[in-house]
Structure formats: C-alpha cells, structure tokens
C-alpha cells in the first residue's frame, strides 16, 4: 500500500460501514466485541493509525486503568499515590488491577477495564527491562502509558527512572569525597537496571579519568553483597568505597566490611539503590541510596495520559531523575539530618528521545 | 420513638417524598448530592436501617471500591489480589484507592467511588487496632467490609487475622519441641497485634501449665529485637526459645543470639510473625513465622461484600487463621522443604462472634 491507510480502507477490509469502523476504533458507542475485534485486526494489519483530527467527541468516563505486574506493592502503591494526586485534580479516578506478571491476566484485565469504559491505561512493571508493546487490538485503541519499564516500541510513551544518571552521580559523589579505590557490586547482569547503573558508573570513571577496582555481578541479595564485599576486601585491601546496585546488596556488603574489622564509612563508604526503608533507614549505619522516585513517575504518567486522552499524546521515553539521599554510610560526621530522611540531592525530571 | 422507624419517617423528616427518600437511600437513580446528604442525615438521626425486603432492584455497576490506608503496599496488593480472584468470578472489577492514613482523603475517596457508582466498599487498614466505623452518610448507604482491622461498631462486618490463635500456636509448637525456657519479644504495647498475640501466648502457657521467662515490649524494629535478645540472654542464660511478634524483631534477635556465640535453632529456637520475604526467606537461618494470610482476607472480604450487595449481609468479626510456616530457625535438621516455602501448618478460616 503506497498511500497512508485510511478509515475507509479499514472499513472495507473489516466489511463494515465507515461509521461502524469509526465507532469501534473510538469507543463512541457500544459495538459488539466481535465487530470491535475485527475492526482492530483490520486496522492493525494495514498499519492504520488513528488521527486526532476529526475524532468524534467521546464522553469521558473519568476512569483510568492501572495494571501492575508488581506482586508485593513496592512499586504499585507509590505509583498509585502519584497518579491519584494528579488525576484527582482533573476529576479522574484510578482503577488499579494486579496482573501478577501474567501476560494472560494482563490481557483479561485490560479487557475488563475497557468494558468498564476507562479512558486510558497505565501499565506498571516491577523491573526495568523493556516490555512487549501492546498492540492496538490488545488496548482496544485506548491511550497507554508505560511506567517504570519502557515499551519495546519507541513510538509509545514510556516514563522510567534515569538509572544511567544515578550511576554517574554515585561515582561522581564518591570521587568528591576523596575516594579513589571504588568497586561496583551489581545485581543480575541481564537486568536493565544493572546495565544502566553500571553504564552510568563507567561514564563517570571515564569522565574523571579514574578506574573501577572491579565490577562484580550476581544476584539481588544481601548474601551476595556480603560475599562480594569479603571477596573485594581480600583481593584489594585498599578498597575505600562500594557502589552497590540495591539496598539489599549494600546491607550485605556492610556486614562483610564489619566482619573484616573495618568501619563504614570511615574505611569504606557504601552507597545503595532503591531507598527501601526496610534496608535504608531501619538499621545502622543508615544507607546513602538513590530513590526511584516512583511517586513522581506515577504523577507524570497520569499527566501524560490525561494529555493523550485530550488528543495531545506524548511519544518516546521520558526519564525521571532518581534523587540521591545521603545518610550515614557515606558521611561519618553528619549534621542534623533533615527530618531523619537524609539530604536529597537534586530532584527533577528531564526528557530523553523525542 | 417507640416503633421501628420507617422510610416514611425518614421522608417526612427530610421533607422529601417517600419515593425520593427510597431512591436516595438505594442509589437507584441520580439524586442531587444535597438531597442525598439530607436523606442520609435524616435516616441516621432516627436510627433507620434499610430493610432488604421490598428494596428496589438496582442495576449493579460491577465495580467494587477498595480504600487502603497502607502506604507501602505490603497489605494492599495481596488484599487486591485476593479480592480480584473472587470478584473476577462474579464479573466485578476492583477499584483500589489509597488514603495514606488520612481520614479526610478516605472520605473524599469514598465520595469519588460513590460518584463512580460502585456497588460496595472494602476498607483496608495496615494495622490491626479497631478503626472508627463509617456512618451511613459517610458511606452513602453502600455496604462496607472492614478488612485487617475491625470496625468499632460490632454490627459491621469485619475480616481480621486470628492473632490470638497465632500466639497460642507459637507457644504450643515451641513446647512440643521440648523448649521450656521461652521468652516473648513483643512490639509496641499499645498495638492490638501485640495485645492479641501476647494474649494467645499467655493462654498457651496457662493451658500447658508453663510460664514465660519474660515478656518484653518496645517497638517493631530489628534493633529492638537484637537489644531484647541480648538482655534476655544476659539475665536468663538458659533461655531456649524466643517468640518474636514480627519478622524484623526475630531477625534482630537472631543477630543478638549469634553475638553471644550461640546458634539458632540448636541453642535458641526463634519464631517471627508476618512472613515478610525480606526478612523471612532472604537470609539464613530462614525464619519460622506466621503468614497473615492477607490474600485470604481479601477473598473473604470480597465474597462477603458480594453477599451484602445481593441482600445477604454478614455481621460481626470473622477471623482468618494465620498459618505457621516452619523453616530453619526452629528446626535444625529439616527434611526437604516444600517448594522452598516451608511447611504450612493448618489453614482455614473460622467465625467468631455472631
């Protein structure tokens, strides 16, 4: 097909009237599920994209659907809180459903949300690797925002953490403290979060003409952090800082350092990642760490979804800065902490891509 | 007023027709928010209770509202998962909103949910103490289930953990292992969870004609667990078991025991509470603990709400048993664990009160 496919092409292929095809694609009226599926399949097969020009005005339900793959709620609840605070201002309510990481449950939840008449969807992941883009027929043509993990289709709108920026900032900060023998203890190598944070760290080492003592990968556990720290101290007696890619790893690393009779941060400074209170503030030394800023991701996702619902969609990946929160594990003699929550370093969001 | 107040009394007091009063109380048609408030206030002031007889048939929206005070998602997500699995079977969808522990946000969320036409509400708390009952005008007459914490009005329907039963079972099990010098390390004394678990433990001591070495209260933290264990070992050298009322406390207690050169469970057996994976399975020894069975509470809450929506409300407190999961901290030489998740001791729900 040479020219851009039109609504007429979709209608002809689906063997329905142009008016029915339009109603099905824009959810303006109740159309049978079978007809809707046929029209979406036809639209998809010829690469038809809805234009916002001339789009029939549709009554908004005021409902937004959130579907999360997060099982324990660490990501879903802050995301919901952020989204609610933005949606409340525009009289929308958020309907959170839980897919427990099951693609088939995710699909049936989207169907159920579409049946409830939601105006749009926010898909929440609990890991940072790109996820499969949803097809037009899967989303029933509803606008979608991908939160925490990006969509595999870069034309989609995704809101994610700036893990590369966090990795850069971690190393830059440790260097500013005068540390020169810095090692990185990462989690699972195949995880995007490991890749991005390590990439950021390496950029900082190069930028400041320094080198990492070592970069070790294994799993996201406290035991691994302890094992890795012991191994590093045994091989490089002069290690003076550890950048750990999760709070659990950092907590284990601190135990390892203490087992060797060394102190944190005097002998070895330690940085974690995630600002998970269980590990970052519930023990001593409290952890310097990066906050994933999930609530802000929820807010921006909701704002961008409202924009899309009103015919002004965003595209590409938007990254949100993870603020670094400085606590006892890197600063020996702290002044009074800010409300016990540590100092927050810079906090804003920026745009990457288009 | 001698006789039972009728719909006619409500209508007269609110200065509306009987038909309008009925519509307002039963949400059968759109009635102005002002009229609805007046009718509910009138109904409340004379103690009018809706009868299910002669109730006008109302179109169900298929939406259920969940409002959680849980900020970090530990309770809200399993509760949502449980509720969804029950609601899905009856074609209802759950709309979860987050009140962050703010009563005013809770009220505005209920208003928003009522405006979306939900058929009923589940109120989720993240602590176990009784919460204020919602008034008829606050709930707009919608059926409500209170989950995890009971309502202060015992006529309401509440679904909670059987913490008394868990406390009893913990001590009974430690005694069955031959331990006779058992101490209890509790959390904050004013918390209902502390009170109930300690009450259950004391019942077991009495039942088996044994005594607790000591019962110590402070806060729900790892540091407190460590401090309390050290204090107990210093004062009572022969302590051979600790029943800790949270996994964090248990984890800290294990550190304390190890600091004295003793081993778990050989010298001292340790039981926790909550089955929070962060503490219970992510380290060694893995923890014997009680699961709060939140997903089951979510399922039962949803089922009871569906019953209420269909005119068959439940009343009073229903307790759900917390299964004990046996892991390394109480059993030195374990056989192969069941799927790594430990052995589950009994698992069912029972009814208390009416």
């Amino acid at each position: 097909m040479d020219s851009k496919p039109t609504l007429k092409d979709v209608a002809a292929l689906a063997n329905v009237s142009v008016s029915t095809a339009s109603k099905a694609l824009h959810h303006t009226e109740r159309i049978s599920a079978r007809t809707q599926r046929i029209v979406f399949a036809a639209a998809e097969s010829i690469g038809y994209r809805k234009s916002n020009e001339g789009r029939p005005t549709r009554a908004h339900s005021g409902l937004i659907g959130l579907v999360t793959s997060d099982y324990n709620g660490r990501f879903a609840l802050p995301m919901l809180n952020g989204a609610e605070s933005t949606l409340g201002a525009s009289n929308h309510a958020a309907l959170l459903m839980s897919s427990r990481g099951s693609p088939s449950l995710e699909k049936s939840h989207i169907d159920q949300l579409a049946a409830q008449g939601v105006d749009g969807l926010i898909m929440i992941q609990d890991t940072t690797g790109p996820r499969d883009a949803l097809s037009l027929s899967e989303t029933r043509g509803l606008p979608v925002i991908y939160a925490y993990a990006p969509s595999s289709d870069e034309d989609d709108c995704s809101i994610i953490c700036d893990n590369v920026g966090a990795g850069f900032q971690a190393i830059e900060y440790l260097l500013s403290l005068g540390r020169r023998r810095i090692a990185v203890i990462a989690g699972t190598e195949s995880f995007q979060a490991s890749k991005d944070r390590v990439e950021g760290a390496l950029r900082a080492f190069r930028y400041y003409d320094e080198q990492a003592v070592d970069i070790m990968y294994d799993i996201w556990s406290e035991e691994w952090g302890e094992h890795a720290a012991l191994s590093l101290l045994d091989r490089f007696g002069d290690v003076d800082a550890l950048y750990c890619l999760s709070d659990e790893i950092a907590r284990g690393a601190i135990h390892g350092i203490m087992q060797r009779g060394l102190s944190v941060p005097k002998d070895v400074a330690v940085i974690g990642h995630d600002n998970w209170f269980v590990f970052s503030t519930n023990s001593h030394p409290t952890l310097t760490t990066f906050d994933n800023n999930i609530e802000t991701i929820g807010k921006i996702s909701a704002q961008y979804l409202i924009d899309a619902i009103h015919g002004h969609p965003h595209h590409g990946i938007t990254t949100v800065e993870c603020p670094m929160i400085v606590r006892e594990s890197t600063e020996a003699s702290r002044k009074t902490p800010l409300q016990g929550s540590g100092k927050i370093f810079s906090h804003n969001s920026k745009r990457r891509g288009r």
Side-chain angles (χ1 to χ4, degrees), chain A:
Chain A
M1 203 173 283
D2 274 350
S3 60
K4 217 174 152 189
T6 66
L7 187 59
K8 216 169 148 183
D9 300 327
V10 175
L13 189 61
N15 200 22
V16 297
S17 70
V18 171
S19 148
T20 299
S22 171
K23 284 173 190 166
L25 289 172
H26 295 112
H27 303 273
T28 43
E29 280 178 45
R30 283 217 174 267
I31 298 284
S32 79
R34 189 175 163 275
T35 305
Q36 208 170 39
R37 263 199 304 277
I38 291 169
V39 171
F40 276 115
E44 211 162 3
S45 71
I46 60 173
Y48 172 78
R49 282 194 171 269
K50 283 192 294 184
S51 145
N52 292 305
E53 325 283 342
R55 172 177 174 165
T57 310
R58 178 185 161 222
H60 292 151
S61 67
L63 281 176
I64 296 298
L66 278 71
V67 181
T68 180
S69 71
D70 172 23
Y71 193 80
N72 66 47
R74 253 174 84 194
F75 299 93
L77 258 277
M79 195 79 78
L80 176 65
N81 284 330
E84 273 190 1
S85 68
T86 296
L87 294 170
S90 55
N91 280 319
H92 277 73
L95 209 156
L96 176 69
M97 300 190 84
S98 162
S99 69
R100 287 169 253 189
S102 148
S104 67
L105 203 51
E106 181 179 277
K107 282 189 182 58
S108 82
H109 280 355
I110 294 175
D111 285 348
Q112 203 168 4
L113 290 164
Q116 295 291 348
V118 298
D119 299 323
L121 299 166
I122 298 177
M123 306 304 296
I124 305 169
Q125 301 301 118
D126 62 351
T127 57
T128 55
R131 56 153 290 154
D132 286 346
L134 291 163
S135 69
L136 197 61
S137 59
E138 279 166 342
T139 64
R140 312 272 192 101
L142 288 169
V144 182
I145 308 291
Y146 296 86
Y148 200 67
S151 162
S152 57
D153 179 348
E154 54 178 46
D155 194 52
D156 288 335
C157 176
S158 306
I159 320 286
I160 63 169
C161 295
D162 184 7
N163 279 310
V164 177
F168 191 97
Q169 197 182 349
I171 301 306
E172 187 173 52
Y173 168 66
L174 290 171
L175 292 169
S176 79
L177 295 177
R179 310 287 166 146
R180 289 296 177 274
R181 299 289 290 160
I182 305 169
V184 179
I185 308 180
T188 311
E189 191 163 6
S190 61
F191 272 55
Q192 196 65 35
S194 274
K195 290 180 190 166
D196 288 349
R197 292 168 192 169
V198 167
E199 186 192 322
L202 290 175
R203 280 191 201 170
F205 282 119
R206 278 196 301 272
Y207 186 81
Y208 289 100
D209 208 17
E210 295 285 343
Q211 280 204 321
V213 168
D214 198 3
I215 297 176
M216 299 177 76
Y217 295 89
D218 195 349
I219 53 167
W220 303 100
S221 81
E222 208 172 322
E223 279 187 313
W224 160 239
E226 183 172 336
H227 173 83
L230 290 171
S231 157
L232 285 163
L233 290 169
D234 292 345
R235 289 180 294 135
F236 311 97
D238 59 349
V239 163
D240 60 13
L242 297 177
Y243 172 38
C244 302
L245 300 198
S246 83
D247 291 341
E248 281 157 287
I249 292 174
R251 176 92 190 251
I254 290 174
H255 286 154
I257 293 164
M258 288 174 166
Q259 277 173 51
R260 287 290 178 266
L262 299 171
S263 85
V264 177
K266 198 173 144 282
D267 300 311
V268 186
V270 176
I271 297 187
H273 225 290
D274 293 343
N275 195 27
W276 199 13
F277 70 98
V278 180
F279 294 107
S280 58
T281 58
N282 280 5
S283 62
H284 288 286
T286 55
L287 263 186
T288 293
T289 186
F290 288 88
D291 192 290
N292 288 314
N293 220 348
I294 305 292
E295 198 159 326
T296 303
I297 293 181
K299 283 180 188 170
I300 298 175
S301 298
Q303 189 51 58
Y304 281 19
L305 184 58
I306 296 282
D307 291 346
I309 290 166
H310 291 131
H312 308 291
H314 299 252
H315 297 278
I317 293 174
T318 297
T319 58
V320 175
E321 187 166 342
C322 309
M324 183 167 74
I325 299 178
V326 175
R327 298 200 186 91
E328 295 165 351
S329 69
T330 55
E331 291 210 351
S333 53
R334 294 277 323 282
K335 300 281 182 275
T336 316
L338 298 167
Q339 301 277 359
S341 64
K343 273 187 289 190
I344 294 181
F345 273 57
S346 68
H347 178 156
N348 55 49
S349 71
K350 56 191 176 191
R351 196 77 190 280
R352 188 170 96 190
R354 296 176 303 146

